[in-house]
């Protein structure tokens, strides 16, 4: 089932009449989520990702714009009638019910032509439980389960109604690091197996990048970029997106373009064409800096962190806007940790220029 968002906008009136400012939580969001894909809505706190999800679910009504499931306009439809499965951050299982009763619960309220016999309900509940691998735990109460198991019950409960669309709001944030990793892979597996179009909200870029077919990066209610995770990482449209994706984060510096050369301080680090002379912000991915004794870009060496296969060269530069300049290199490359400076060459496809006022990307060709 494809999901179409058309000029979707949500404006919350001001709570405080004196302050008088309304909040544009989501601003003119248009996007077609292809059938069967997992889309990660990503952005910092307050960027409007949950509001977008709530509008898709029907829990919140858009101020303007339309939502379609397939060809059906569902904008005015209530949550119950949209055929969605919802999973929230706090699993909200009924504590006095067993796992089985929790999963059966949504089926017991079905009416009319959707009404199921007891056998059919049980069959569906066990099918959903098997999918999330909790069918051995059906007689336990939620308090007798681990956090990850509870979250799987919540997912089974969302799946049991065979939703047209699955909506997940930060479903992993209550889990510890190891469980997060495991559960996110589980969510991906379940999503692939069921082929249900899924929207997943998270502020964790690594999480979104690792499981999504497509990510949507949002900032202050406005969509910044939509694309496959790797494409967005490789080709950020502005400085915000470049900074938001990547661990360790991109190195950001001030610089200038003059006579076809990009300067950081007094050093010309790359020759480019197609860019007018101007001051710029420069972003270099940590894997875009190659140590070379004749390198064009000189930094003050702080320290060297060897982490098995890779090493992290931590340095500083007076033009840097990030506290350090970090380079990730193979640990086979030898660097003298006692040296005062380290020189790098930059890899052009890991090196981005941004307009100093708008922070939009400036595209260039390498000479
Ligand atoms: P988080 O990761 O913190 O949950 P988010 O990206 O999901 O953030 P939203 O919850 O969608 O962000 O909120 C977007 C903006 O709308 C925020 O500025 C928030 O304060 C505001 N907002 C959300 N709900 C309401 C509401 N019911 N009334 C007024 N303002 C709201």
């Amino acid at each position: 089932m494809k999901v179409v968002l058309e000029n979707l906008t949500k404006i919350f009136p001001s709570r405080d009449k004196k302050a008088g400012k309304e909040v544009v939580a989501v601003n003119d969001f248009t996007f077609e989520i292809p059938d069967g894909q997992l889309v990660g809505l990503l952005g910092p706190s307050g960027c409007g990702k949950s509001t977008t999800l709530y509008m898709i679910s029907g829990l919140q009504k858009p101020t303007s714009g339309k939502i379609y499931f397939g060809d059906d306009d569902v904008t005015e439809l209530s949550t119950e009638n949209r055929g969605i499965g919802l999973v929230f951050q706090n699993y909200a299982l009924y504590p006095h019910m067993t796992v089985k009763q929790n999963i059966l619960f949504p089926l017991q309220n079905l009416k009319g032509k959707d009404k199921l016999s007891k056998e059919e309900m049980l069959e569906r509940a066990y099918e959903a439980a098997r999918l999330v691998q909790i069918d051995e735990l059906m007689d336990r109460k939620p308090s007798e389960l681990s956090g990850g198991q509870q979250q799987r019950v919540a997912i089974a409960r969302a799946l049991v109604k065979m939703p047209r669309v699955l909506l997940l709001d930060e479903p992993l944030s209550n889990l510890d690091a190891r469980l997060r990793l495991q559960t996110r892979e589980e969510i991906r597996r379940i999503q692939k197996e069921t082929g249900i179009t899924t929207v997943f909200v998270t502020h964790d870029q690594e999480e979104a990048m690792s499981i999504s077919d497509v990510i949507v990066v949002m900032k202050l209610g406005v969509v910044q970029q939509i694309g496959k995770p790797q494409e967005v990482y490789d080709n950020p449209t502005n400085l915000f997106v470049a900074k938001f994706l990547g661990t360790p984060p991109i190195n950001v510096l001030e610089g200038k373009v003059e006579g076809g050369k990009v300067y950081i301080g007094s050093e010309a680090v790359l020759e480019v064409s197609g860019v007018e002379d101007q001051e710029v912000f420069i972003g270099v991915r940590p894997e875009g800096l190659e140590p070379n004794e004749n390198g064009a870009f000189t930094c003050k060496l702080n320290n060297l962190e060897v982490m098995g296969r890779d090493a992290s060269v931590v340095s500083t530069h007076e033009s840097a806007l990030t506290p350090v300049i970090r380079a990730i290199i193979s640990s086979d490359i030898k660097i003298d940790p006692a040296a005062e400076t380290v020189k790098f060459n930059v890899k052009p496809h890991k090196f981005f220029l941004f307009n100093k006022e708008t922070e939009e990307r400036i595209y260039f060709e390498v000479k």
Side-chain angles (χ1 to χ4, degrees), residues 12-13 15 23-26 43-52 54 60 169-170 201 203:
F12 289 108
R15 286 209 187 92
V23 178
V24 184
V26 178
S45 179
C47 72
K49 38 191 200 302
S50 298
T51 304
T52 304
Y54 295 160
Q60 269 171 2
D169 189 5
E170 302 260 7
V201 161
H203 62 273

Side-chain angles (χ1 to χ4, degrees), residues 42-91:
L42 178 64
S45 179
C47 72
K49 38 191 200 302
S50 298
T51 304
T52 304
L53 196 83
Y54 295 160
M55 288 194 282
I56 301 173
S57 73
L59 290 172
Q60 269 171 2
K61 209 173 139 23
T63 309
S64 58
K66 296 255 179 234
I67 302 164
Y68 297 89
F69 285 2
D71 295 324
D72 300 343
D73 181 349
V74 300
T75 319
E76 298 297 326
L77 219 56
S78 68
T79 302
E80 303 79 59
N81 294 322
R82 286 193 187 191
I84 51 154
L86 257 177
V87 180
F88 291 107
Q89 170 176 353
N90 44 355
Y91 344 103

Side-chain angles (χ1 to χ4, degrees), residues 188-239:
R188 185 52 169 162
R189 177 186 63 78
I190 294 163
Q191 194 273 333
K192 278 204 162 139
E193 265 180 55
T194 57
I196 299 176
T197 309
T198 300
V199 184
F200 178 96
V201 161
T202 178
H203 62 273
D204 182 334
Q205 53 97 19
E206 205 183 319
E207 199 164 281
M209 289 191 60
S210 66
I211 66 168
S212 308
D213 294 304
V214 173
I215 55 169
V216 176
V217 185
M218 298 181 74
K219 175 193 173 189
L220 295 173
V222 181
V223 172
Q224 304 291 304
Q225 192 166 358
I226 299 177
K228 289 186 182 155
Q230 193 63 36
E231 279 172 18
V232 178
Y233 178 83
D234 288 340
N235 240 322
T237 187
N238 59 34
L239 185 58

Side-chain angles (χ1 to χ4, degrees), residues 129-171:
R130 268 194 297 276
L131 202 59
V132 299
Q133 295 169 352
I134 47 157
D135 48 321
E136 311 265 289
L137 309 171
M138 291 296 250
D139 295 320
R140 291 212 200 158
K141 294 268 175 67
S143 60
E144 295 162 341
L145 301 176
S146 72
Q149 290 166 335
Q150 289 185 41
Q151 192 56 293
R152 282 193 252 165
V153 178
I155 296 170
R157 197 175 55 177
L159 290 174
V160 78
K161 272 168 78 176
M162 300 188 173
R164 301 199 284 176
V165 179
L166 185 61
L167 304 172
L168 308 167
D169 189 5
E170 302 260 7

Side-chain angles (χ1 to χ4, degrees), residues 283-304:
V284 199
R285 294 274 179 219
E287 67 275 23
L289 290 168
E290 277 179 312
N292 183 309
E293 58 188 32
N294 301 314
F297 175 44
T298 312
C299 293
K300 194 163 162 287
L301 182 62
N302 274 23
N303 62 311
L304 197 65

